[in-house]
Amino acid sequence: MQNISKLRQVLTLKQKEQFQEDGFLIVKKILSSYDLQPIINELSDKVEVGIQSAISMGLLSVDQTFTEATFATRLVYASTACSEPGWIWNNFFRNQKPRTKGMFSVRTAGPLLDVIESIIGPEIFAHPQFNFRAKLPDQQATVIPWHQDLAYLIPSEAADTMVVNAWIPLVPTSVENGCLQLIQGSHKFGLFPHGQQDLTPGHTGNIGIADDHLPSGKIITAEMSVGDVLLSTERLVHRGLPNRSNMVRWSIDTRYSQIGLPTGRRNVPGFIARSHQVPENVAQSHSDWNQAFKNE
């Protein structure tokens, strides 16, 4: 069943105006351990499976399980000890989109849907585009260049749809471990050209905006605590910094739009997360979410 918030987390008029003006808003401490622990537990279990698989492949010795390490560090220790350091991440954490109970729990958390409702209204569709991210130290593949989320959709399809991205850290984020940076007000200038050529050195392999196409604007560094949520529009220019720490920067990003509007991912199902008009169609569990894929 969905998490129901006892006290609705409605954005103030000032917060809504700031979101419209800046293209983003950091909402402090709206998610609790009740909302986040299920997905943290699932990811912790996934690290365990990755370690045991590496042991069975002969890439780690049987005593290199690092069971005393924290959620933020265990994958780092195991990957460093592995004879193929990138093996666990590549096989268990690269381009993963788990439609699990824990992910559903986060995406339907009452306080999160409350603030989304403050922006787009009560007819909320959990957009097909979502991710969890395990950003390892000094890992080039997870250094994300300046980009707009709309460029990763079909822009011509979703051009008139407001897609609100909720970026959710599962560990404290800082410049050192690769937090996000945002260009304030950059959502007002339309969609910029994106490509893999002419990007800042070190950003190879990810689609982004070349430096000479970037808009002017104040760069905001989004250092955040666990429980905070960064809300942004589909056109906000932002990037992920390199992780120079000794921990994993774990995070989730989940997107929302109004029910019935084009998502830019026409062949990928989402699910109805909240509705006053058709409450009988609201997904009640991750099984309902997965059923949508079976019906395609």
Side-chain angles (χ1 to χ4, degrees):
M1 297 294 290
Q2 293 188 53
N3 301 336
I4 304 297
S5 58
K6 295 180 180 179
L7 181 64
R8 289 175 62 80
Q9 302 286 334
V10 180
L11 296 180
T12 65
L13 177 60
K14 182 177 180 180
Q15 286 176 309
K16 289 188 280 189
E17 289 176 344
Q18 183 180 344
F19 179 82
Q20 296 294 335
E21 179 65 21
D22 294 343
F24 71 92
L25 177 71
I26 297 175
V27 189
K28 296 288 188 179
K29 298 188 182 304
I30 66 167
L31 293 176
S32 67
S33 59
Y34 176 84
D35 301 313
L36 298 176
Q37 198 60 48
I39 188 63
I40 291 174
N41 290 344
E42 287 180 355
L43 292 171
S44 296
D45 290 345
K46 200 175 185 69
V47 172
E48 172 67 18
V49 171
I51 289 172
Q52 294 301 324
S53 297
I55 291 172
S56 69
M57 293 289 291
L59 304 175
L60 280 173
S61 65
V62 293
D63 62 342
Q64 292 178 308
T65 56
F66 305 99
T67 54
E68 301 303 314
T70 66
F71 171 63
T73 59
R74 191 181 183 201
L75 180 59
V76 176
Y77 294 157
S79 296
T80 301
C82 193
S83 60
E84 295 181 25
W87 188 87
I88 299 175
W89 185 84
N90 278 313
N91 285 277
F92 293 91
F93 296 100
R94 186 185 186 102
N95 299 325
Q96 298 286 316
K97 296 181 184 292
R99 300 187 300 272
T100 61
K101 183 177 180 180
M103 183 63 77
F104 183 85
S105 177
V106 174
R107 300 193 77 194
T108 59
L112 177 58
L113 294 183
D114 287 345
V115 298
I116 297 297
E117 181 172 339
S118 293
I119 296 172
I120 67 174
E123 304 305 302
I124 302 174
F125 190 71
H127 193 276
Q129 189 81 352
F130 72 99
N131 296 282
F132 78 77
R133 303 184 190 276
K135 175 177 277 198
L136 289 172
D138 299 314
Q139 184 183 47
Q140 200 58 53
T142 53
V143 178
I144 307 300
W146 291 112
H147 69 283
Q148 296 163 294
D149 289 342
L150 182 59
Y152 286 79
L153 304 175
I154 302 173
S156 59
E157 179 186 329
D160 297 323
T161 300
M162 174 178 279
V163 179
V164 179
N165 183 31
W167 193 88
I168 303 167
L170 300 178
V171 295
T173 62
S174 64
V175 170
E176 185 183 17
N177 72 359
C179 69
L180 299 189
Q181 286 190 323
L182 328 159
I183 300 182
Q184 189 175 35
S186 56
H187 64 303
K188 298 178 180 179
F189 299 103
L191 185 63
F192 293 93
H194 286 66
Q196 292 185 336
Q197 69 283 2
D198 299 323
L199 298 183
T200 302
H203 285 159
T204 57
N206 287 303
I207 295 173
I209 304 170
D211 286 350
D212 56 359
H213 287 145
L214 286 174
S216 60
K218 183 179 180 181
I219 295 176
I220 306 296
T221 299
E223 296 189 311
M224 298 168 62
S225 300
V226 177
D228 298 347
V229 174
L230 167 63
L231 304 174
S232 61
T233 77
E234 75 286 346
R235 287 174 170 81
L236 182 77
V237 178
H238 60 290
R239 69 176 176 180
L241 295 173
N243 183 353
R244 303 303 187 198
S245 73
N246 60 356
M247 63 184 286
V248 181
R249 195 219 67 188
W250 291 101
S251 64
I252 291 170
D253 46 275
T254 171
R255 295 165 179 79
Y256 303 89
S257 55
Q258 290 183 10
I259 297 170
L261 295 182
T263 64
R265 296 288 304 278
R266 65 170 72 105
N267 296 322
V268 183
F271 63 88
I272 295 177
R274 175 177 287 181
S275 175
H276 294 185
Q277 295 181 3
V278 287
E280 68 277 9
N281 292 338
V282 173
Q284 298 300 311
S285 70
H286 71 294
S287 298
D288 294 340
W289 183 12
N290 282 286
Q291 185 62 43
F293 282 79
K294 296 177 182 178
N295 294 337
E296 281 294 301

